Amino acid sequence: MNKFELDTPALLIDFDKLENNLAAMQKIANDNGVKLRPHTKTHKTPYIAHKQMRAGARGVTVAKLGEAETLNAAGLDDLLIAFPLQGAAKMERLLRLAERAAVRVSLDSFPVAQAISDAAATRGIKIPFYVEVDTGLHRVGLAPRQATRDFVRAATKLRGIEFIGLLTHAGQAYAAKTLDEIAALGKNEGALMVETAEMLRADGIATPEVSVGSTPTARFAAQVQGVTEIRPGTYVFYDTMQVHKFACAWDDCAQTVLFTVVAKHPDRLIFDGGSKTLSSDRGPDGAATFGTVVGFPHLEIYALSEEHAHVKIIGDGAVPNIGDKVQVIPNHACAVMNLHDQFIATRGDEALGSFEIAARGKIR
């Protein structure tokens, strides 16, 4: 059926654009001789993860154990959990997962390292781990160079874990204003990681992996000699934020939400979905906008309530009428996927069928 015949709100994924995005990022990895281990928190969908693997990805990244368990149940068996795990319940789940899959973790503290090591040692196994390095985001991670070096020296003495490399996420790129600034951040991200890895190797500590992340910086960090792996996530769909951070063009955005106009006033419209559909993430650099209306540059989503998108008419041009349907490119693709049970796959205007977003809501 034609996608504009769908009931709304409806989450749409354009598979032509999705497949182009997968191929383009895989080419970046291949051209620079690095592995692509994409972060699946963006799509949360086993079918898309399998498409990434068929395109050439070397394993996948997740944020939560629940995501890893869901993907593993769907046949994916090379999993990086890029989040510090803590607590007895998570240790037991991690060990069960390690029986079925090649699972690796990231960490940045001795208590987390000790807990995973102790748990794994009781089963007579070793869990491979990356040490997370803070290259500027200031969220988690150790300072590069000496602080990381000191930690790795201590952590490698634990018997239930096996050090395999360094990992970082340059999320600070989302504060950048120019492409040159993003390029510089990406190259600095890679350089700091490689320098720290070389310090470890000088100590005789094997450091096979130097893993970097972030969709805006991935193409630049991948160019740094010594980087071995990139972990972008949002590139599968892109979104309004990624366009404004120079990662893509509008035509690359594969994810949209289809809405119906349900009210019309002289200066504004209402669409039939709000924060429960689009998320409350604000626009680039904190702008009070909540998505981009495709084909209507003079319409601005200026507010959301739970079930309403409030749309301002800010210029001349055609304005949709009550009953008309419009597509919106969200500000943040990852958050939007987590709000929906399913998406509709499309090619052009044709709706192909629905897919379950199996890992949505997997917050533990």
Side-chain angles (χ1 to χ4, degrees):
M1 66 188 298
N2 187 290
K3 67 186 180 186
F4 291 104
E5 297 173 13
L6 293 166
D7 194 15
T8 60
L11 178 61
L12 310 181
I13 303 297
D14 186 313
F15 267 30
D16 289 331
K17 294 180 180 182
L18 165 68
E19 290 162 3
N20 287 339
N21 294 341
L22 298 188
M25 188 60 74
Q26 189 64 55
K27 185 175 187 304
I28 288 171
N30 294 347
D31 287 351
N32 288 283
V34 301
K35 292 176 286 188
L36 174 61
R37 182 181 286 275
H39 208 311
T40 61
K41 71 179 180 65
T42 298
H43 57 73
K44 309 180 197 310
T45 306
Y47 183 81
I48 295 177
H50 280 293
K51 287 179 78 70
Q52 290 172 309
M53 294 296 290
R54 288 194 296 271
R58 303 279 293 279
V60 297
T61 306
V62 301
K64 294 299 179 74
L65 263 168
E67 294 173 340
E69 291 162 339
T70 300
L71 294 181
N72 178 244
L76 290 133
D77 60 4
D78 189 341
L79 307 161
L80 161 63
I81 304 168
F83 197 90
L85 301 176
Q86 188 58 247
K90 287 188 172 60
M91 295 303 106
E92 181 59 31
R93 289 167 62 198
L94 174 64
L95 294 180
R96 288 201 301 268
L97 183 62
E99 293 173 354
R100 308 187 300 271
V103 60
R104 52 188 69 188
V105 298
S106 71
L107 53 88
D108 69 347
S109 72
F110 207 80
V112 171
Q114 186 76 66
I116 295 173
S117 174
D118 289 348
T122 64
R123 302 284 179 91
I125 63 172
K126 286 192 174 187
I127 301 291
F129 74 101
Y130 294 81
V131 171
E132 183 148 3
V133 180
D134 179 7
T135 53
L137 178 57
H138 308 317
R139 184 172 65 185
V140 294
L142 297 160
R145 305 185 181 99
Q146 195 60 44
T148 296
R149 184 185 201 177
D150 291 342
F151 177 79
V152 172
R153 284 171 170 168
T156 51
K157 296 176 182 177
L158 297 173
R159 64 192 182 98
I161 55 177
E162 178 183 9
F163 177 67
I164 57 170
L166 304 175
L167 172 151
T168 193
H169 171 63
Q172 67 272 22
Y174 290 100
K177 300 295 193 295
T178 68
L179 180 58
D180 285 345
E181 188 178 353
I182 289 171
L185 285 168
K187 291 175 182 176
N188 183 63
E189 169 193 10
L192 282 172
M193 293 291 283
V194 170
E195 180 183 352
T196 305
E198 288 302 321
M199 293 174 70
L200 295 173
R201 292 169 186 141
D203 291 338
I205 299 173
T207 308
E209 300 292 352
V210 177
S211 181
V212 299
S214 160
T215 290
T217 63
R219 56 182 155 154
F220 303 110
Q223 298 171 23
V224 178
Q225 187 68 32
V227 166
T228 67
E229 181 176 86
I230 56 174
R231 305 182 330 280
T234 315
Y235 80 96
V236 293
F237 302 145
Y238 293 117
D239 53 27
T240 291
M241 181 69 73
Q242 297 297 333
V243 173
H244 284 266
K245 297 305 169 185
F246 314 100
C248 65
W250 289 113
D251 284 346
D252 298 320
C253 294
Q255 182 199 70
T256 58
V257 180
L258 184 70
F259 290 105
T260 299
V261 179
V262 294
K264 185 174 183 179
H265 305 280
D267 61 342
R268 59 190 174 87
L269 307 170
I270 297 293
F271 299 162
D272 63 340
S275 60
K276 290 180 178 178
T277 304
L278 275 177
S279 94
S280 56
D281 285 13
R282 295 164 73 95
D285 303 314
T289 56
F290 297 92
T292 302
V293 186
V294 177
F296 294 96
H298 53 289
L299 298 183
E300 180 182 278
I301 303 174
Y302 68 93
L304 298 177
S305 45
E306 289 185 50
E307 307 295 354
H308 305 74
H310 303 249
V311 185
K312 188 186 305 181
I313 302 170
I314 58 173
D316 297 329
V319 176
N321 295 310
I322 292 174
D324 289 346
K325 293 179 180 176
V326 297
Q327 289 178 262
V328 173
I329 298 171
N331 287 339
H332 185 187
C334 312
V336 169
M337 290 299 282
N338 200 50
L339 295 172
H340 296 258
D341 291 323
Q342 64 176 17
F343 67 83
I344 306 299
T346 67
R347 291 193 189 274
D349 286 345
E350 182 184 3
L352 306 176
S354 63
F355 288 81
E356 179 190 6
I357 305 170
R360 73 164 299 270
K362 302 296 185 183
I363 59 174
R364 291 190 293 276

